[in-house]
Amino acid sequence: MKRKITFAFLLLLHCLVYADPDYDYAGGNGTMLKSSTENGVQTTLRKCELEAVIGDVLLEKSGTLYEDMTTANPVGTVKKDDIVSISEICVVKYLNEEKKYGLYKSDIWFKIKKDGRHCWLCYCYQDYMMSDPYENGQYSIIGKMDINGKVENVRKLSQTLSVFENVNIRDFPDLKKSKTIYTIRPNVTDDFQTNVRVTGMMENAVRIDGFTDYWLKISYKGYEGWIFGGYAYAERGGPKYEIPEEEIKYKLGWY
């Protein structure tokens, strides 16, 4: 009997993880609360506290609320313009299923509070419409920098943006304290549409040349440095930056 209990306890430790040692969210949104993988099904529960406005993007799929993370016990609905308070996101991936569009078949659940009770809102069920927005540490804290006497977080941001005009890559995210290490010159020394790989961003926006935007850490032509995001563009719908909370609001909101 004791051996069975010990084995069950070790199995529980193997399957459940209450912290994410690889990515630092400082206890905020994205912090892993629980993770398990069993029979090819991976379940990840994360902290995700935000308010979202329900729009037609969600309601084309479902506005049904459930008692738990199954579709067996509906307890209500949401409608357009409802404001919901989200506290957690749960992503269920079916790892043994064939991937499509680079995504695993998944369930995406949001724990919300409506009319004084907690329930679950299903964005997609066994479909390929959305991945874990915090996957691979997206928007986790990857460092800190002293900017004019104030220590600020550097957040991980993995995406590609485009540059169409001359932009300086600098060695530091500040105009006065930085040096230019390379100048992107579209249609001269670089492509007319110069695509740069963004690897990080400063957490706080700044105002430069009439734009309020973020300093972005990029990798381009072997250079690692910073550009001001006011001169970078995204070629897709939705938020410019793939910040998880903004992606979630967009997915639940409006076209």
Side-chain angles (χ1 to χ4, degrees), residues 61-125:
K61 304 170 182 63
S62 172
T64 305
L65 301 174
Y66 298 93
E67 184 176 344
D68 47 33
M69 285 183 287
T70 71
T71 57
N73 301 303
V75 294
T77 59
V78 290
K79 61 183 185 299
K80 286 185 180 181
D81 297 323
D82 276 354
I83 299 175
V84 296
S85 296
I86 300 170
S87 59
E88 297 173 0
I89 177 174
C90 187
V91 179
V92 181
K93 290 184 182 179
Y94 299 91
L95 305 180
N96 293 335
E97 300 280 346
E98 181 182 358
K99 294 176 76 172
K100 292 183 180 179
Y101 327 113
L103 301 176
Y104 284 107
K105 180 184 286 186
S106 302
D107 307 335
I108 309 290
W109 293 90
F110 295 100
K111 186 177 182 179
I112 73 166
K113 188 173 184 180
K114 181 175 172 60
D115 299 329
R117 68 176 296 178
H118 290 285
C119 48
W120 290 89
L121 173 63
C122 184
Y123 175 77
C124 65
Y125 187 71

Side-chain angles (χ1 to χ4, degrees), residues 4 12 17 20 26 40 60 174 197 201 205 210 217 228 238:
K4 289 183 179 180
L12 182 66
V17 180
D20 190 345
E60 281 192 2
D174 182 82
R197 189 64 187 166
M201 71 185 302
K217 187 176 183 180
F228 178 57

Side-chain angles (χ1 to χ4, degrees), residues 138-188:
Q138 185 78 323
Y139 209 60
S140 59
I141 298 172
I142 57 174
K144 295 179 181 293
M145 300 190 77
D146 187 326
I147 309 294
N148 298 318
K150 181 180 179 181
V151 177
E152 299 184 22
N153 290 328
V154 183
R155 295 277 185 169
K156 181 177 180 180
L157 190 70
S158 181
Q159 69 175 100
T160 297
L161 292 175
S162 300
V163 172
F164 297 92
E165 55 193 300
N166 292 0
V167 174
N168 291 325
I169 301 177
R170 298 175 178 271
D171 64 353
F172 189 77
D174 182 82
L175 287 179
K176 294 181 180 180
K177 295 184 178 180
S178 63
K179 296 179 181 179
T180 298
I181 57 178
Y182 182 81
T183 299
I184 299 172
R185 295 182 173 89
N187 217 28
V188 179

